[in-house]
Amino acid sequence: MLRSLVGSEMCIRDRYQRRVRGQHRVNMEPVEESVYCLIPPKIEPQPRAPLYRSNYPGTVAANKRPAATMGPLKVQPPNPTTYLKAYTREDNKLPEPSKFQYTDNVGRKPTVPRRDEKPVHGLVTSKNFITCNAVENILAVPKKTDARQVSYMNKKGYGKVPAYLEKVKAEIQDEYSYIASMQDAYEADGGEDGMTRTRVMSAEERGEMLDGLKTNWDKINKAYQTLSFTLDTPAKKQRKEEFEAQLEQIERDIEKLSKGNIFVEEDQYM
């Protein structure tokens, strides 16, 4: 890049020198070599253009002042007493007030009684309200009711145990069977003289185990969510099945630990 710049500068310089030499050659071609050429020629000054003069004279008319401003010479000053006052314009006046008259007299309410008008007192009705109410109730037509008889024995599920009670009974039976199996295992291992003992798990241990199971479930679920939707390889299918089996096992363990009493085995000499 530097070489190209240097080369371009040299080309520009050579062109300029050739152009200058050519101009000197053209100027000196008609003149032969002489001593008069050593004297510089006399430069004639360029003549100046004549001064501009306007076609209109610069004199001021007799009826105008030299320093007058725009507008007429004499203006009538405004009178401070003749300012615009309210309701003096003809087009801004309101009509004269007049009494309001109703155009129709249909459906109008009666006027309010005056303070000197006295109401009528002593009006008593001869109607017996007790007798009238009794007659109205006797002559009233009874309301129509639904003639269909509701039979609760024909309802669906009549005489059957509700599903939620069956579920509760099944859970209680599972607990009893689990306790019975633990007792059988304890007796099979030697009873009081054996090496194993059973105890009820404390609430602190059960809480720690539940927290650990929930943490493991979150980790496996997060890994399960990162799987791709397309199971195009056997490895992806196997990995998905493994995650689902682990999640189901952890959920079952959490459900068991959430119950009331949990019995665990422990060694006698520990």
Side-chain angles (χ1 to χ4, degrees):
M1 185 175 180
L2 182 60
R3 293 179 181 178
S4 61
L5 292 174
V6 173
S8 61
E9 291 177 359
M10 293 176 66
C11 294
I12 294 170
R13 184 189 61 188
D14 295 342
R15 285 201 301 271
Y16 176 74
Q17 291 179 358
R18 284 198 296 270
R19 185 169 64 252
V20 173
R21 289 174 186 172
Q23 290 177 0
H24 289 304
R25 191 180 298 113
V26 171
N27 294 334
M28 297 188 66
E29 278 180 359
V31 182
E32 297 181 355
E33 187 176 353
S34 175
V35 70
Y36 294 102
C37 296
L38 301 176
I39 301 174
K42 186 177 181 181
I43 300 173
E44 295 291 339
Q46 188 175 2
R48 298 181 61 183
L51 183 63
Y52 173 78
R53 296 288 183 181
S54 176
N55 296 330
Y56 302 95
T59 58
V60 182
N63 59 348
K64 291 184 180 181
R65 290 178 295 172
T69 59
M70 297 179 62
L73 295 177
K74 293 182 180 180
V75 179
Q76 184 68 23
N79 189 2
T81 60
T82 59
Y83 57 88
L84 183 62
K85 298 180 181 180
Y87 305 104
T88 57
R89 291 174 50 182
E90 296 295 333
D91 56 346
N92 197 22
K93 288 185 178 180
L94 296 175
E96 294 294 333
S98 59
K99 186 178 180 179
F100 178 77
Q101 297 291 338
Y102 288 100
T103 57
D104 56 339
N105 296 327
V106 180
R108 294 180 57 185
K109 295 181 179 181
T111 58
V112 179
R114 300 179 181 178
R115 61 181 180 178
D116 55 351
E117 294 181 359
K118 297 181 179 180
V120 180
H121 298 281
L123 294 178
V124 180
T125 179
S126 61
K127 181 179 179 181
N128 190 353
F129 291 96
I130 299 175
T131 306
C132 291
N133 293 337
V135 171
E136 289 179 0
N137 291 326
I138 293 170
L139 299 178
V141 179
K143 295 182 180 180
K144 294 183 179 180
T145 58
D146 192 0
R148 296 176 301 175
Q149 295 181 359
V150 180
S151 178
Y152 294 98
M153 298 179 63
N154 298 329
K155 292 181 65 176
K156 185 179 179 179
Y158 175 77
K160 296 182 180 179
V161 181
Y164 72 94
L165 290 179
E166 294 288 347
K167 184 178 179 181
V168 173
K169 287 182 179 180
E171 292 179 355
I172 295 173
Q173 189 63 32
D174 292 340
E175 291 183 0
Y176 284 151
S177 59
Y178 180 73
I179 294 171
S181 62
M182 293 293 295
Q183 291 178 355
D184 294 339
Y186 174 72
E187 293 175 358
D189 290 338
E192 296 293 338
D193 298 334
M195 303 295 293
T196 57
R197 294 291 186 273
T198 57
R199 64 179 180 86
V200 180
M201 182 182 294
S202 62
E204 296 179 357
E205 294 178 355
R206 186 172 58 181
E208 292 177 358
M209 292 186 69
L210 285 173
D211 294 339
L213 289 173
K214 291 178 181 179
T215 305
N216 293 339
W217 189 90
D218 293 336
K219 291 180 180 179
I220 297 173
N221 186 38
K222 186 176 181 181
Y224 179 75
Q225 295 294 335
T226 56
L227 292 176
S228 61
F229 290 100
T230 57
L231 304 176
D232 50 355
T233 59
K236 291 182 179 179
K237 295 180 181 179
Q238 183 180 2
R239 188 172 180 82
K240 180 177 178 296
E241 293 175 357
E242 290 179 357
F243 284 153
E244 291 177 351
Q246 292 177 4
L247 291 174
E248 291 178 0
Q249 182 62 35
I250 292 175
E251 289 174 358
R252 287 195 296 268
D253 296 341
I254 292 174
E255 185 179 359
K256 288 182 179 179
L257 288 175
S258 300
K259 295 180 180 180
N261 297 325
I262 304 297
F263 295 91
V264 294
E265 296 180 357
E266 62 178 359
D267 196 353
Q268 182 181 3
Y269 299 101
M270 289 183 61

